[in-house]
Amino acid sequence: MGNSRGSRVVLVCAALAVAAGSGVIAARLADQSLDAGRLSGSTPTGTPTSLAPSAPPGVPETPTPSETTATEEPIVTQNRLVLQSRLYKVGRIPASRCKEPSARPTSLAKVRLYYTQYLECLNKAWAPVMREAGFPFRAPKLVVYAGRSANSYCDLTSTAVYCDGTIYMSADYDLKNYATYDPLWSRTTMAFLIAHEYGHHVQAMAGILQASHSREMVLSNTTMQLLESRRRELQASCLSGVYLGADKQFFPARGSWLLKWKWTVRNRGDEWNPKRTHGNKNNHSRWSRAGFEAADPAACNTFIAKPATVS
């Protein structure tokens, strides 16, 4: 997808189906994913990605782009970036030592405060990791909005979107969930969504996001393109779990909160979406919990996983 500035973009978006009581409410938040990620200078994907959350009842070093040789085939470089990233070698990430933000989603201002504080904690944990891996760290921008923003070329029809270094979060979704459904579920969903979008930012800083989209563009058929999309999205969810697992003693992620978070990641899946861009709920739970249990990005190399585990 292009923008008015003439640059090329990568989108990563979210859609969900919300089950309330005996009925099911489908909220169309994007075409295919949890987040819409747009990165300057990257190749367009043609389609966003989305998850369907249910509501309550040794390898070689990875070179940076500047390290690759002029004679190396581009696809070889892209494969190395996703398969052998230095991100997978940093070990367990440090705890941010942050507690869950105390703000509750009862107003736009409080939703914004929750995400702002959470983002600061994510930056605190991931900054030293990215630098250790040899990637320049840059904090993402954050936009928390109600209704559709008139000042962005990003697709904000999703609940959560990563676009061109900015994380967009829809307060409307959180306000409705907190007022209508289980308040604890709404909090675990907020914690998951912001960390998933941040997972795409980690991918972008490591060059994985751009490389994966480039790989997707050259694949010969839709089935393989969707498989690549699922690898990318499930990795972002795994990285979401990595942060929470590293900080679980301080958050704290235990007791009823942890049980609800596990329920949340177990009931997010793209079975409802014919395009199947994010992975079914069993695999979403598998990768989210793998990240949580290891607190190490090495647990999140979905690009070498067997197709059945990213279906």
Side-chain angles (χ1 to χ4, degrees), residues 40-210:
S40 295
S42 51
T43 306
T45 61
T47 51
T49 44
S50 46
L51 281 183
S54 300
V59 290
E61 285 291 309
T62 304
T64 60
S66 61
E67 294 171 337
T68 61
T69 66
T71 58
E72 187 172 63
E73 288 291 333
I75 193 62
V76 174
T77 301
Q78 310 312 325
N79 288 342
R80 185 181 296 116
L81 284 168
V82 302
L83 298 171
Q84 303 170 353
S85 176
R86 293 193 303 270
L87 180 65
Y88 308 142
K89 297 183 177 182
V90 295
R92 186 182 178 92
I93 75 169
S96 69
R97 307 179 74 88
C98 289
K99 293 184 179 296
E100 180 190 15
S102 59
R104 296 295 176 256
T106 56
S107 68
L108 172 59
K110 290 185 177 180
V111 173
R112 182 176 289 120
L113 178 60
Y114 183 98
Y115 285 132
T116 298
Q117 293 178 345
Y118 206 120
L119 184 64
E120 292 172 354
C121 295
L122 288 161
N123 287 334
K124 184 177 180 180
W126 283 108
V129 171
M130 301 310 295
R131 292 176 179 131
E132 180 181 346
F135 302 115
F137 176 80
R138 59 188 182 278
K141 296 178 182 178
L142 174 68
V143 175
V144 181
Y145 66 97
R148 188 177 180 90
S149 170
N151 300 316
S152 172
Y153 47 66
C154 298
D155 176 10
L156 301 185
T157 60
S158 301
T159 294
V161 172
Y162 177 76
C163 176
D164 203 15
T166 300
I167 294 173
Y168 294 87
M169 305 298 296
S170 168
D172 294 332
Y173 179 60
D174 301 318
L175 293 170
K176 181 176 181 179
N177 286 344
Y178 193 78
T180 307
Y181 305 117
D182 178 3
L184 181 56
W185 169 75
S186 71
R187 288 163 50 199
T188 60
T189 298
M190 291 174 73
F192 166 74
L193 282 174
I194 182 71
H196 172 99
E197 298 310 324
Y198 201 99
H200 283 302
H201 185 62
V202 170
Q203 291 175 323
M205 289 188 288
I208 294 172
L209 184 61
Q210 303 91 321

